[in-house]
Amino acid sequence: MKLPLYQVDAFAERPFVGNPAAVCPLTEWLDDSLLQQIAEENNLSETAFL
């Protein structure tokens, strides 16, 4: 399975400051356990799925 994933600098006005977060847009909602595994794989404090 391939999913788009973006790493963004949250709460920042310029690059490389703020808090890194993963954002993963989904075409369909996935099982909670799979979402948790994706978040753990990214190893960031925040992962958002939309």
Side-chain angles (χ1 to χ4, degrees):
M1 171 187 309
K2 290 187 176 189
L3 296 172
L5 183 77
Y6 303 93
Q7 184 171 331
V8 299
D9 294 321
F11 310 111
E13 294 183 12
R14 61 184 197 280
F16 309 115
V17 298
N19 299 330
V23 178
C24 184
L26 302 172
T27 57
E28 62 184 64
W29 201 251
L30 303 173
D31 184 66
D32 287 347
S33 63
L34 182 55
L35 296 175
Q36 183 65 40
Q37 291 173 16
I38 293 168
E40 289 174 6
E41 180 72 19
N42 291 311
N43 198 29
L44 296 171
S45 61
E46 300 298 331
T47 301
F49 298 96
L50 54 114

